[in-house]
Amino acid sequence: MNVLKTTYDVVIIGGGLSGLTASIYLAKAGLSVLLAEKSTELGGRALTMKKNGAYLNLGVHAFYQDGKGEEVLRELGVELRGANPPASVAAIWNNNIYSLPTGPIQLLTSRLFSLTGKVGLAKFMYKLGKIDTSKLGRISFREWAEREITDPMIRHVVYAISRTNTFVPHPELHLASTAVRQLQRTFGGKAFYMDRGWSSLVNDLKQRAERAGVTIMTSHSVGEISSSEDGFQLRLANGDSISASYVIIATGPADACKLVKGAAQTSLVHWKEEAHTIKAACLDLVLSRLPQSTSSFVAGFWLDAPIFYNNPTSVATHSEDGDLTVIHMVKLLGKNPSNPKEDERQLEQALDLIQPGWRKEEKARQFLPRITVSNDFCSIDKKGIYPGPEVPEMKGLYVAGDWTGHEGEVLVDTVLASARRAALAIINQHANNKGAG
Ligand SMILES: Cc1cc2nc3c(=O)[nH]c(=O)nc-3n(C[C@H](O)[C@H](O)[C@H](O)COP(=O)(O)OP(=O)(O)OC[C@H]3O[C@@H](n4cnc5c(N)ncnc54)[C@H](O)[C@@H]3O)c2cc1C
């Protein structure tokens, strides 16, 4: 049992992947670190729930290798257990299921594309891997796709893959370099499903944080952060008070604004207003078996709706004995209020199409009607200026998380890379302060 001190070098608010990651870098550099998480468990949106003997992530979770996320995990010594799925993907169009061509033979036999479309797709797939995304300039993904892909069906497919692998349904806003880089990773087979879900990563990071000396406090909500010349004063919801020289806010931008006294006079408010939040309805199911094992696509996406299907258990173990099947159905939501009952029914009906008979196999379900998948993404309107890691108006205050990403970063890449940026900036500032003192 940790004994709470009243003074730390750094307090981190939020025990999701970003808070945990930052804490390890800082503690390894010799700083005293307190990580405060308001929930009873660490993990945030990377939590995995156990239901009827199966491990269920909060919605589909694929880790994309060959990016900054993997780089950070390698630096921390984390090895992921799981597997890359085979390229067995369905495209659904007008209630018909088409196998998406991933090789020359499937391409020739595909019913989804015209003959010229097939030639166009072969050329596109060949060209995609060779694109230097750093040279694409500041254009939107839509602008890039309209210029590079003439066949309308190929464009449909490319937009659908992009919203599946980034969760961003706004090609007109998404920065082309970031979206195209993610397409390259997808076509390069870099999606990875973790055995036992993402809590395995959370648990690994937690152990490393504890070994490095981080004090971890769950069920501790931070109520307010105020800054003075001497540093920061944090008030916990239970009335305790803690002081720190540096603070990292590893929550979403709305929470960050609520937490900081005087936030209205800082960039935090501007960052919150500029953020494009992405929400989704997620239906996560535990099935006793896959009813249609002969047509068992690992993933499927609808071309005419922002819906997708995923079966991580095709390659990764998500139950104690490995017998159960986990299916994730996702619908990306717009800004307007949605009807949860209607969304759940739509996801069930979509699954009827791709896995008829699933209802008889259902053992457990988790429905998340409107979860925040991402607090922001790399959008063209940011003009190359991104939030954080420091909050310029309050020396010593830093931010990390999915709303503080840089060009080329998506989803958990952003989370892990921003946590490293915030931690390294503090380590630097601390060394400079000591040098000056
Ligand atoms: C449905 C869904 C699907 C996803 N799929 C993918 C995917 O396929 N690939 C991918 O890379 N990423 C995916 N993600 C995104 C990924 O899960 C998140 O980017 C990541 O988990 C965010 O980590 P974080 O630490 O930045 O934020 P969070 O996980 O949100 O953690 C923030 C933490 O701060 C805590 N907190 C808030 N306020 C306070 C307070 N006042 N005091 C103390 N604690 C506080 C919260 O309780 C929370 O635990 C998905 C997310 C969702 C929801």
Side-chain angles (χ1 to χ4, degrees):
M1 165 86 181
N2 279 314
V3 179
L4 200 60
K5 297 190 296 178
T6 51
T7 305
Y8 289 84
D9 290 326
V10 191
V11 174
I12 300 174
I13 302 150
L17 292 178
S18 53
L20 278 165
T21 301
S23 78
I24 302 171
Y25 278 101
L26 289 161
K28 280 187 161 182
L31 283 88
S32 62
V33 183
L34 170 70
L35 180 75
E37 165 57 50
K38 71 175 176 190
S39 171
T40 52
E41 271 183 86
L42 295 173
R45 283 169 287 154
L47 263 179
T48 307
M49 315 307 286
K50 201 151 178 220
K51 279 195 187 259
N52 271 53
Y55 297 92
L56 277 185
N57 287 324
L58 302 180
V60 52
H61 269 79
F63 185 91
Y64 287 88
Q65 297 165 312
D66 200 14
K68 289 198 193 150
E70 190 177 32
E71 196 180 291
V72 168
L73 293 187
R74 209 177 297 126
E75 268 177 22
L76 297 179
V78 176
E79 259 183 57
L80 299 179
R81 253 166 258 130
N84 302 100
S88 153
V89 181
I92 293 97
W93 174 248
N94 279 337
N95 280 335
N96 291 310
I97 303 174
Y98 301 90
S99 175
L100 198 73
T102 48
I105 295 174
Q106 293 140 305
L107 186 59
L108 281 177
T109 54
S110 170
R111 292 175 294 121
L112 189 58
F113 302 97
S114 65
L115 185 62
T116 44
K118 286 176 188 175
V119 175
L121 184 63
K123 278 192 186 156
F124 173 76
M125 277 158 57
Y126 175 77
K127 242 173 70 179
L128 179 70
K130 300 197 176 311
I131 295 170
D132 178 351
T133 53
S134 67
K135 301 220 165 93
L136 289 181
R138 301 204 59 74
I139 57 166
S140 73
F141 183 46
R142 183 181 294 286
E143 195 180 337
W144 177 84
E146 301 286 325
R147 192 181 69 198
E148 296 296 324
I149 312 170
T150 44
D151 185 284
M153 182 52 85
I154 301 177
R155 263 205 312 267
H156 270 316
V157 170
V158 167
Y159 285 145
I161 295 175
S162 179
R163 62 176 178 254
T164 308
N165 69 15
T166 62
F167 290 84
V168 179
H170 308 295
E172 71 290 353
L173 275 177
H174 207 177
L175 194 63
S177 55
T178 305
V180 174
R181 176 74 195 109
Q182 185 71 346
L183 282 179
Q184 290 175 330
R185 291 160 95 188
T186 301
F187 280 96
K190 300 296 179 191
F192 185 90
Y193 300 149
M194 291 180 212
D195 283 340
R196 297 183 172 222
W198 279 38
S199 277
S200 53
L201 172 59
V202 173
N203 291 337
D204 190 326
L205 292 174
K206 175 182 178 238
Q207 281 164 20
R208 280 167 207 275
E210 281 172 343
R211 276 206 300 273
V214 177
T215 304
I216 296 178
M217 288 301 197
T218 51
S219 307
H220 274 71
S221 179
V222 175
E224 188 180 74
I225 306 165
S226 44
S227 93
S228 71
E229 292 216 329
D230 302 329
F232 293 92
Q233 205 65 31
L234 292 95
R235 191 178 42 73
L236 302 185
N238 67 3
D240 287 352
S241 192
I242 293 170
S243 19
S245 307
Y246 313 94
V247 171
I248 298 181
I249 305 181
T251 69
D255 281 332
C257 286
K258 273 190 227 145
L259 278 168
V260 176
K261 197 168 168 198
Q265 281 78 52
T266 71
S267 302
L268 286 169
V269 167
H270 171 68
W271 293 337
K272 185 189 104 185
E273 280 164 6
E274 297 280 292
H276 305 284
T277 310
I278 296 172
K279 304 257 183 197
C282 298
L283 176 61
D284 305 323
L285 292 158
V286 181
L287 306 183
S288 47
R289 68 180 186 97
L290 201 63
Q292 306 296 323
S293 54
T294 47
S295 59
S296 56
F297 295 105
V298 172
F301 49 79
W302 275 246
L303 298 180
D304 38 16
I307 291 181
F308 41 99
Y309 157 94
N310 179 270
N311 170 12
T313 38
S314 53
V315 290
T317 312
H318 275 34
S319 55
E320 292 301 347
D321 51 14
D323 275 356
L324 297 170
T325 294
V326 166
I327 298 290
H328 296 290
M329 296 297 298
V330 180
K331 178 182 176 190
L332 297 174
L333 302 173
K335 279 192 179 150
N336 296 331
S338 42
N339 178 337
K341 276 268 156 268
E342 185 50 42
D343 290 335
E344 190 171 10
R345 210 180 52 227
Q346 196 183 0
L347 291 173
E348 287 175 343
Q349 285 169 350
L351 187 55
D352 285 337
L353 186 72
I354 201 158
Q355 277 295 333
W358 68 270
R359 291 170 196 257
K360 281 196 220 118
E361 309 298 339
E362 179 176 343
K363 293 197 73 131
R365 74 166 55 196
Q366 159 178 283
F367 179 63
L368 311 166
R370 200 173 174 85
I371 188 165
T372 299
V373 176
S374 190
N375 281 297
D376 202 3
F377 60 90
C378 250
S379 59
I380 181 107
D381 53 357
K382 299 224 168 43
K383 301 190 171 62
I385 302 160
Y386 301 104
E390 48 272 303
V391 178
E393 300 80 8
M394 277 191 194
K395 206 169 161 49
L397 183 63
Y398 293 82
V399 289
D402 58 4
W403 48 290
T404 65
H406 287 191
E407 191 165 331
E409 296 169 0
V410 292
L411 297 164
V412 81
D413 278 335
T414 311
V415 167
L416 300 179
S418 65
R420 175 173 62 180
R421 272 193 290 275
L424 295 185
I426 290 178
I427 293 165
N428 247 331
Q429 193 187 334
H430 192 62
N432 288 342
N433 289 351
K434 270 173 60 181

